[in-house]
Amino acid sequence: MPLHNREIADTFIKLANLLEIEGANPFRVRAYRNAARVISSLAPRVSDLVAQDKDLSELPGIGDDLADKIRTLIKTGELPLLKQVEARTPPILHELMKIEGLGPKRVKILYQKLGIRHVKDLQTAIKQGRLKKLSGFGEKTEQKILSGIQHLNQYTKRMKLADAAPVVDSLLRYMRNIDGVEQVECAGSYRRKKETVGDLDILAAAKDSEKIINAFIKFDEIAAVITQGTTRASAHLHSGFQVDLRVVSEKSYGAALLYFTGSKEHNIAIRKIAVQKKLKLNEYGIYRGERQIGGRTEEELYKQLGLAYIEPELREDRGEIIASRKHRLPKLISLKDIRGDLHCHTHATDGSASLEQMAKAAEQLGYEYLAITDHSQHLTVAHGLDKKALIAQIKKIDRLNAKLQNLVVLKSMEVDILEDGSLDMPRDILNELDLTVCSIHSKFSLPQKKQTERILKAMDNVCFNILAHPTGRLINHREPYSIDMERILHGAKERGCILELNAQPDRLDLNDIHCKMAKDIGAPIVISTDAHSPSQFSYMCYGINQARRGWLEKENVINTRPLKDLKKLLNRK
Ligand code: DGT
Ligand code: CA
Ligand code: CA
Ligand code: ZN
């Protein structure tokens, strides 16, 4: 399978990190990091560009040398320079870099001054109090590293849903082409659209199961077959996923799909209902005595149990069973309900496309509106816009809107919430905007009470509309900062502020539990992609997945409203 932009970017980040530890020229290090950033936010797949013989050096920040390296990486799957650097640096350095709170500089010190050779050594050194004696390592850093080590172990096992999607697509395509496969689906946490998945559970219906298993193990993405039987097999894929395959007969397909979709907690709860009804439910069907009374479809099984059909995203035993029995299940939001996107970036800050290109892409999706939310000044990593630059952008948007037929571009900004809860832009200019998207990009480790009050104070500003990526977590990479979500949600509701569900696959922030909490409290939600390129508008589907897991309906989400109604919600004055 061709390399994903994300994998290419990760390779360059690894290279930059190792070079930085070695003390290489900082400009060179920065160039590789920059390349990683450009590639990860790029619309087309770089491997497609290479296949079409496009000139990569035309991309921003990519010179001839880098273009050459990218081509080599895509064609051979390897980067010779990285191989060389890896050969001369001990692997533990890269291991240590994966720990939250450790960057190249600190890793170098740990290796050289403390002689750390294993993650275990690091834990011991902290326990013995040797770390805080080093300059630049306080007690806080120690705590951060310790919890970073704990998370490291959790993180390595689960993959992001968006990374699983192309793998599942190609696997299902392969399975559908096998002669004799009557039905096939990916069950498990993937079907429940969980933000991360542990492994992939493929279920197929066929008469001759052994024949299907024999064909499955010939799939060329398989790196190793773990187990192989007559009705099931497990294998490791080159992409790092583990796949479990089960083959059942058609008359059991619905029962097996229900069972292997899970969750385990949901399964246990519905099996209890079966027992109460003096029925037996298992992965082959539902039985009264010895007689099978259902099992072909999930609908049939829920019906026998006296339940309305429950969407896979809700099957977590979080109240869906009672709701189903009482016919009070939510009518879950879907992608077609979305009328616009209220968070995206252009190349005026850290996006990769122009204002016009972003607007055109949104128009092609059939959106009614799009808010341009480039960063404010304070955000040093991305050269945020100052007041003058924002005024220039506002004028540009006016001119663009005069030309656009079907889409309205809304003037906005992603404004930084500073440590004291003030906004990183003066009121007079914020008043010129249609809405603001406000977020935290600094001081992540404030105590919970301070962090919560920082946000509530920011919301007191009548120019505040949307709290973006409310907890700041990055899946498998950075823990959320500590806030009292209930207080924030009540505070938002009282003030007429909105919480974002950021649809970037590594954010998905708010999470499912928080979405349900927001719904119960009555705080409005917006689902936004935070797109940094036109292609990233497609992340909306991941936001929808998370929203559905959080029981959200169309009416809970403000960007399902027509522009006129939306504008009313955004006007706090
Ligand atoms: P994952 O892979 O960790 O993201 O999560 P799942 O939900 O895909 O779990 P997995 O792959 O271990 O098993 C797939 C489904 O099989 C699971 O959702 C429910 C069902 N299942 C597995 N083990 C049990 C069990 O011990 N009892 C019951 N009732 N169901 C189980
Ligand atoms: Ca699974
Ligand atoms: Ca499994
Ligand atoms: Zn953003």
Side-chain angles (χ1 to χ4, degrees):
M1 207 188 291
L3 285 177
H4 292 276
N5 288 359
R6 203 174 283 263
E7 293 169 300
I8 300 170
D10 286 346
T11 308
F12 280 99
I13 288 172
K14 187 171 181 183
L15 178 62
N17 286 342
L18 293 181
L19 284 174
E20 189 171 349
I21 295 173
E22 281 194 332
N25 180 337
F27 290 105
R28 217 169 131 219
V29 173
R30 204 171 310 150
Y32 291 133
R33 269 196 227 291
N34 194 36
R37 198 169 55 79
V38 169
I39 291 164
S40 64
S41 70
L42 204 64
R45 275 169 79 154
V46 180
S47 47
D48 292 341
L49 297 180
V50 168
Q52 297 156 12
D53 239 0
K54 293 264 167 66
D55 184 5
L56 298 181
S57 65
E58 280 173 11
L59 298 172
I62 310 283
D64 287 340
D65 173 61
L66 265 170
D68 227 33
K69 288 198 166 59
I70 297 169
R71 264 195 304 272
T72 309
L73 174 60
I74 288 169
K75 288 193 171 149
T76 66
E78 280 178 3
L79 194 59
L81 176 60
L82 179 60
K83 285 249 142 183
Q84 286 165 26
V85 182
E86 276 178 331
R88 59 182 188 243
T89 42
I92 180 65
L93 294 181
H94 194 254
E95 271 314 293
L96 292 176
M97 288 287 306
K98 289 185 195 153
I99 299 172
E100 194 184 341
L102 285 181
K105 283 192 198 73
R106 283 182 169 153
V107 164
K108 191 174 172 179
I109 297 174
L110 293 175
Y111 186 79
Q112 290 179 342
K113 298 237 166 100
L114 287 189
I116 303 294
R117 297 294 179 266
H118 286 281
V119 176
K120 273 203 305 275
D121 297 348
L122 183 57
Q123 278 168 309
T124 316
I126 293 175
K127 281 197 195 106
Q128 293 170 344
R130 287 196 286 142
L131 214 66
K132 56 174 174 258
K133 289 192 192 126
L134 296 171
S135 80
F137 289 82
E139 205 144 320
K140 264 198 191 147
T141 317
E142 274 190 355
Q143 286 316 311
K144 204 165 171 192
I145 294 173
L146 272 183
S147 69
I149 293 172
Q150 271 170 13
H151 299 138
L152 187 68
N153 302 329
Q154 281 162 226
Y155 286 164
T156 39
K157 290 184 211 111
R158 303 189 63 83
M159 306 263 204
K160 280 175 274 187
L161 188 67
D163 294 335
V167 176
V168 170
D169 286 349
S170 77
L171 188 51
L172 290 181
R173 221 174 305 127
Y174 178 82
M175 293 299 296
R176 282 195 190 103
N177 276 328
I178 299 174
D179 199 27
V181 168
E182 290 154 343
Q183 298 192 62
V184 62
E185 247 166 298
C186 187
S189 51
Y190 183 83
R191 184 160 178 248
R192 302 198 313 278
K193 302 285 184 261
K194 224 175 138 167
E195 60 193 31
T196 61
V197 298
D199 69 359
L200 303 173
D201 304 279
I202 305 289
L203 179 69
K207 288 188 186 73
D208 183 353
S209 61
E210 208 165 348
K211 196 179 135 203
I212 310 300
I213 300 283
N214 285 329
F216 164 72
I217 60 165
K218 296 200 183 84
F219 184 41
D220 65 3
E221 287 294 318
I222 290 182
V225 175
I226 307 165
T227 59
Q228 180 186 352
T230 53
T231 60
R232 54 168 62 201
S234 290
H236 283 299
L237 300 182
H238 289 297
S239 51
F241 286 93
Q242 185 182 318
V243 185
D244 292 340
L245 169 69
R246 278 105 174 166
V247 186
V248 298
S249 68
E250 274 211 301
K251 75 179 202 316
S252 291
Y253 187 74
L257 186 59
L258 182 65
Y259 181 86
F260 291 114
T261 296
S263 65
K264 190 174 157 185
E265 291 71 19
H266 180 85
N267 287 352
I268 292 171
I270 55 174
R271 201 170 299 179
K272 239 187 241 160
I273 295 178
V275 172
Q276 285 162 6
K277 290 186 174 296
K278 305 230 161 21
L279 301 172
K280 192 176 90 190
L281 174 67
N282 61 28
E283 59 263 52
Y284 300 103
I286 188 160
Y287 303 84
R288 178 169 287 124
E290 293 299 303
R291 196 168 69 89
Q292 181 174 352
I293 56 170
R296 260 171 209 283
T297 66
E298 288 185 324
E299 284 80 359
E300 191 174 277
L301 294 165
Y302 280 117
K303 206 168 161 202
Q304 292 285 2
L305 295 171
L307 299 172
Y309 178 77
I310 301 174
E311 302 276 2
E313 293 93 327
L314 297 178
R315 301 182 194 169
E316 299 289 345
D317 195 21
R318 290 184 192 147
E320 74 277 13
I321 293 166
I322 293 176
S324 157
R325 193 186 288 142
K326 295 186 176 165
H327 295 280
R328 281 202 202 131
L329 282 168
K331 189 172 181 309
L332 297 179
I333 185 169
S334 70
L335 193 54
K336 64 175 187 346
D337 294 325
I338 296 293
R339 290 178 189 247
D341 203 324
L342 296 186
H343 187 164
C344 79
H345 298 273
T346 75
H347 61 201
T349 59
D350 59 348
S352 65
S354 68
L355 171 62
E356 291 77 9
Q357 285 167 327
M358 295 303 276
K360 206 168 141 205
E363 198 173 31
Q364 271 165 7
L365 288 171
Y367 284 164
E368 281 174 38
Y369 44 83
L370 171 71
I372 300 290
T373 60
D374 276 318
H375 289 283
S376 65
Q377 224 166 338
H378 190 79
L379 198 73
T380 45
V381 287
H383 309 291
L385 302 185
D386 59 14
K387 195 170 157 178
K388 206 173 126 212
L390 180 58
I391 291 171
Q393 194 180 57
I394 290 174
K395 292 203 174 122
K396 244 174 113 178
I397 292 175
D398 280 332
R399 286 196 296 275
L400 180 60
N401 273 333
K403 282 190 278 179
L404 288 171
Q405 305 273 315
N406 304 314
L407 180 87
V408 175
V409 178
L410 299 173
K411 298 159 196 165
S412 182
M413 170 168 258
E414 181 168 3
V415 188
D416 238 48
I417 301 173
L418 303 180
E419 187 179 0
D420 65 356
S422 59
L423 297 182
D424 179 32
M425 255 305 146
R427 184 81 63 98
D428 60 335
I429 177 85
L430 294 181
N431 278 330
E432 300 296 312
L433 301 175
D434 294 305
L435 73 149
T436 63
V437 170
C438 306
S439 57
I440 283 183
H441 290 103
S442 63
K443 299 279 171 191
F444 291 149
S445 50
L446 292 183
Q448 187 182 82
K449 190 158 179 287
K450 275 220 169 104
Q451 197 71 283
T452 304
E453 277 158 15
R454 173 190 189 183
I455 293 171
L456 290 173
K457 165 131 192 286
M459 286 181 176
D460 283 337
N461 187 324
V462 289
C463 294
F464 187 116
N465 293 118
I466 295 169
L467 178 63
H469 39 76
T471 75
R473 64 112 174 230
L474 295 173
I475 294 175
N476 285 357
H477 190 70
R478 186 171 73 205
E479 288 297 291
Y481 40 75
S482 173
I483 50 173
D484 181 342
M485 186 57 80
E486 237 179 289
R487 252 185 98 189
I488 301 270
L489 290 169
H490 281 291
K493 188 189 175 198
E494 282 156 19
R495 293 167 178 79
C497 298
I498 296 130
L499 272 85
E500 177 183 270
L501 191 189
N502 188 296
Q504 291 273 320
D506 54 356
R507 287 196 183 269
L508 294 173
D509 177 9
L510 301 175
N511 68 21
D512 47 2
I513 307 249
H514 290 151
C515 286
K516 184 145 189 278
M517 215 174 181
K519 178 182 179 177
D520 292 343
I521 287 173
I525 298 284
V526 58
I527 308 176
S528 306
T529 62
D530 198 355
H532 284 64
S533 66
S535 72
Q536 289 189 358
F537 284 134
S538 67
Y539 289 163
M540 189 59 83
C541 65
Y542 296 106
I544 294 287
N545 289 339
Q546 188 81 314
R548 290 169 63 89
R549 286 183 55 83
W551 292 54
L552 296 186
E553 303 178 79
K554 186 176 169 184
E555 63 178 40
N556 306 124
V557 176
I558 66 159
N559 53 327
T560 62
R561 311 273 171 99
L563 182 58
K564 200 165 66 98
D565 299 353
L566 178 77
K567 282 202 154 168
K568 274 184 215 147
L569 290 171
L570 295 172
N571 189 0
R572 290 181 59 194
K573 280 157 241 164

